[in-house]
Amino acid sequence: MLGAHVSIAGGTHEAPPRASAIGATAMQIFTKMATRWAERACEDDECRAFHAALRKTGVRATAAHDSYLINLASPDPTLRRRSIESFVAELARCEALGLRFLVSHPGNYLNDRASGIQRNAEAIGEALERVPGRTVLCLETTSGSGTAIGATFEELAAVIAAVPGSQRRRLGVRGPPTAPW
Ligand SMILES: [Zn+2]
């Protein structure tokens, strides 16, 4: 499969034809404005229109990329809680739209790497528990700049290993993107 990130301008149902127009068999979208905290839910009408549009295309794999503001590894309790609530909403939109993957950047630990990995994993576990379903959460490799978690597969493995076992089957890893998503 080959695909790209496509715009949802005009609504999520506009994304599948955009992917189709470039011959994509896989597509990634944002399900909200990725640089804002404002959340939204995907109502039934939207989900039906999205599915109908998707069925008319050859797109077989669908993914969303989560908001850039989310930091599940933050040592700041307020920011981390806000991040978890935002991440739960991301996951809920993916389940509602029936997206196969949610791509997520691991967080920034800021203070201590080991405790950051633990915070990241616990937050993922909480979100997956609160939003049951089939969307696979794909942790994305990062450049490792600053205090970003996830520059190596070993570090992503450490995050995954710290997620409760019952939720671990919904986790995967995505390799480096070719564009700075
Ligand atoms: Zn990314």
Side-chain angles (χ1 to χ4, degrees):
M1 284 183 285
L2 194 62
H5 187 105
V6 292
S7 165
I8 60 162
T12 49
H13 66 282
E14 297 286 358
R18 286 190 181 109
S20 193
I22 56 170
T25 46
M27 72 169 195
Q28 177 181 278
I29 59 173
F30 291 125
T31 59
K32 68 162 211 180
M33 286 190 67
T35 55
R36 302 281 163 82
W37 282 111
E39 293 301 331
R40 70 183 198 88
C42 294
E43 305 297 345
D44 289 350
D45 283 357
E46 175 183 348
C47 297
R48 270 195 293 273
F50 178 76
H51 289 145
L54 189 61
R55 272 196 302 272
K56 291 180 194 157
T57 72
V59 175
R60 296 290 165 260
T62 53
H65 189 296
D66 71 353
S67 156
Y68 295 122
L69 302 177
I70 291 171
N71 182 6
L72 298 175
S74 176
D76 176 336
T78 306
L79 180 60
R80 183 161 170 275
R81 181 44 53 189
R82 195 173 194 185
S83 295
I84 291 172
E85 295 310 316
S86 180
F87 189 66
V88 162
E90 293 278 0
L91 204 47
R93 286 192 295 274
C94 288
E95 294 293 349
L97 291 170
L99 303 184
R100 200 154 128 197
F101 305 105
L102 172 60
V103 177
S104 175
H105 292 181
N108 288 280
Y109 61 85
L110 298 171
N111 57 0
D112 170 68
R113 185 178 291 270
S115 55
I117 287 173
Q118 192 60 35
R119 287 190 295 270
N120 208 142
E122 284 173 11
I124 288 171
E126 178 186 328
L128 290 174
E129 192 176 319
R130 284 171 59 184
V131 188
R134 305 198 311 179
T135 299
V136 173
L137 171 59
C138 290
L139 300 178
E140 190 172 80
T141 51
T142 63
S143 66
S145 58
T147 65
I149 295 168
T152 64
F153 284 119
E154 287 78 6
E155 199 157 88
L156 293 175
V159 174
I160 291 170
V163 171
S166 57
Q167 307 296 354
R168 216 174 293 150
R169 64 185 172 78
R170 288 169 71 193
L171 289 175
V173 168
R174 190 175 87 167
T178 52
W181 286 342

